[in-house]
Amino acid sequence: MFFPDHPLFQRAFSWASAPVPPNLPPEEYCPVRDVLYGRLDSLLVSLIRKNIPEEKSLLLHAILSEIGGNSFDHNIGQWKDAPGVLFARTLDPTPFFILADRGQGIRRTLLPVKPSLANDEEALRTAFLEQLSSRAPERRGNGLKFVRRELLQDGIDLFFQSGTACYAVTSKEESWKSVPTSIPGCLAVLSFSR
Amino acid sequence: MTIAMHKFGTILNSRPAGREAFLAFRPQLLHVLKSTEEIILDFQGVQVLTPSFADEFVTPLLEQYPGRVSFMHTQNITVRKTLEFLSEQWPKDAYDWKRDL
């Protein structure tokens, strides 16, 4: 499930893609990692109160932590302008969650360790499929591989865009495509049926 | 030696927190270095474990103490899936799953 017409998505896409970032509601802007993680912990409480199965809630927390953590891990000192991430969410009627950043994006992040990357789609495939760290020789590069594996096993849907490349998992089926409007950083939407 | 992972927090999801936890705990492992003592990571009470945290805490332990690290109370879905995922990259004889899997 992907909600391109939802106001939350529209605002996130606009924030991620605009030349100058529009103001965000303070409750959606996480300028530092601790703010994001605090909101993820609060989300966990909300999910359990809404009777979302505990295992799905915990797994969702882990997936959001990995995607959101990547934004901070890979963009420190490299933000285009506004540091940090947007984190927006709604639980009714269908739970969905958006993370976006105004960082350097997947391709620019990976180019130093894989200069052969020809385009955004190749970079996105590398990020989700290959064990490659943009911070070599540090041992990293596991986050998005873990995310992909869990999405394909556990029925949480994803839309992920960086540059013009998109990756989606819907009902455990994955797809790749390019779109005309580029996002310099990254934008991710997660959702699942109740 | 048993390390109660929940003492680092019940949500173990950040790479910096994993690195900080390892660095803070490392001095307590010095005596283990000179013995053959087993290091048991006990995940009881942990709600969320991510590959980012585990890669900074568990992986270095396995590198420094290969064959002496084992895991217990790994039933939590994120603990189980994170350890299963990372274990594909770890040497098979570097850890022990047998306690409760």
Side-chain angles (χ1 to χ4, degrees):
Chain A
M1 289 168 288
F2 170 48
F3 306 91
D5 298 326
H6 195 286
L8 285 185
F9 179 83
Q10 296 283 330
R11 184 159 64 234
F13 191 88
S14 170
W15 183 77
S17 60
V20 177
N23 286 334
L24 288 177
E27 67 272 18
E28 290 181 3
Y29 182 44
C30 308
V32 295
R33 187 194 301 264
D34 286 350
V35 173
L36 172 65
Y37 285 166
R39 288 175 181 169
L40 291 180
D41 294 353
S42 166
L43 169 67
L44 188 56
V45 174
S46 301
L47 289 169
I48 290 168
R49 279 188 187 148
K50 287 275 184 186
N51 296 319
I52 306 293
E54 185 179 5
E55 288 209 333
K56 181 156 275 188
S57 301
L58 295 174
L59 197 56
L60 179 74
H61 189 296
I63 290 169
L64 288 167
S65 295
E66 286 296 287
I67 295 174
N70 266 356
S71 290
F72 291 98
D73 290 339
H74 296 298
N75 290 304
I76 184 166
Q78 305 281 348
W79 303 105
K80 183 168 182 274
D81 37 50
V85 303
L86 170 153
F87 174 52
R89 63 179 175 99
T90 184
L91 299 182
D92 294 308
T94 302
F96 80 95
F97 314 89
I98 303 174
L99 284 164
D101 69 58
R102 293 179 62 86
Q104 54 184 345
I106 299 285
R107 187 178 174 210
R108 283 188 60 195
T109 298
L110 291 177
L111 266 176
V113 288
K114 193 172 182 182
S116 62
L117 288 173
N119 53 47
D120 290 333
E121 185 170 343
E122 208 175 296
L124 198 56
R125 283 180 184 269
T126 299
F128 276 98
L129 300 176
E130 291 181 29
Q131 195 72 41
L132 179 70
S133 170
S134 69
R135 291 178 49 149
E138 284 184 294
R139 180 187 44 251
R140 290 168 184 254
N142 282 314
L144 292 181
K145 266 66 70 180
F146 172 80
V147 167
R148 172 176 176 263
R149 180 157 118 167
E150 297 317 317
L151 297 174
L152 293 174
Q153 286 180 358
D154 291 285
I156 296 174
D157 291 347
L158 169 74
F159 170 84
F160 191 103
Q161 181 175 349
S162 182
T164 57
C166 301
Y167 170 65
V169 177
T170 306
S171 303
K172 303 182 186 178
E173 296 285 329
E174 58 187 339
S175 60
W176 309 82
K177 67 174 182 177
S178 291
V179 292
T181 307
S182 179
I183 291 174
C186 296
L187 182 147
V189 181
L190 287 147
S191 64
F192 58 82
S193 301
R194 298 189 69 171
Chain B
M1 162 184 270
T2 299
I3 303 176
M5 295 301 293
H6 73 86
K7 290 189 175 178
F8 297 107
T10 58
I11 308 258
L12 305 176
N13 60 339
S14 144
R15 189 172 287 279
R19 189 181 314 122
E20 183 62 24
F22 179 74
L23 292 174
F25 200 79
R26 194 164 53 174
Q28 297 186 50
L29 291 165
L30 289 177
H31 78 278
V32 178
L33 195 61
K34 297 173 186 164
S35 69
T36 55
E37 190 180 346
E38 185 180 20
I39 301 168
I40 302 166
L41 301 188
D42 183 350
F43 290 93
Q44 185 149 44
V46 172
Q47 278 192 293
V48 176
L49 176 72
T50 66
S52 289
F53 185 98
D55 218 8
E56 298 289 341
F57 190 93
V58 183
T59 304
L61 272 180
L62 296 178
E63 288 172 350
Q64 293 183 23
Y65 305 96
R68 293 165 59 182
V69 177
S70 59
F71 310 129
M72 67 186 298
H73 295 124
T74 57
Q75 297 93 338
N76 172 285
I77 187 169
T78 63
V79 171
R80 191 177 73 245
K81 284 178 174 281
T82 289
L83 295 178
E84 284 174 355
F85 176 76
L86 290 178
S87 70
E88 293 172 6
Q89 299 160 34
W90 294 332
K92 297 292 177 219
D93 55 356
Y95 58 93
D96 181 10
W97 282 96
K98 286 182 281 191
R99 287 180 181 271
D100 56 8
L101 278 181

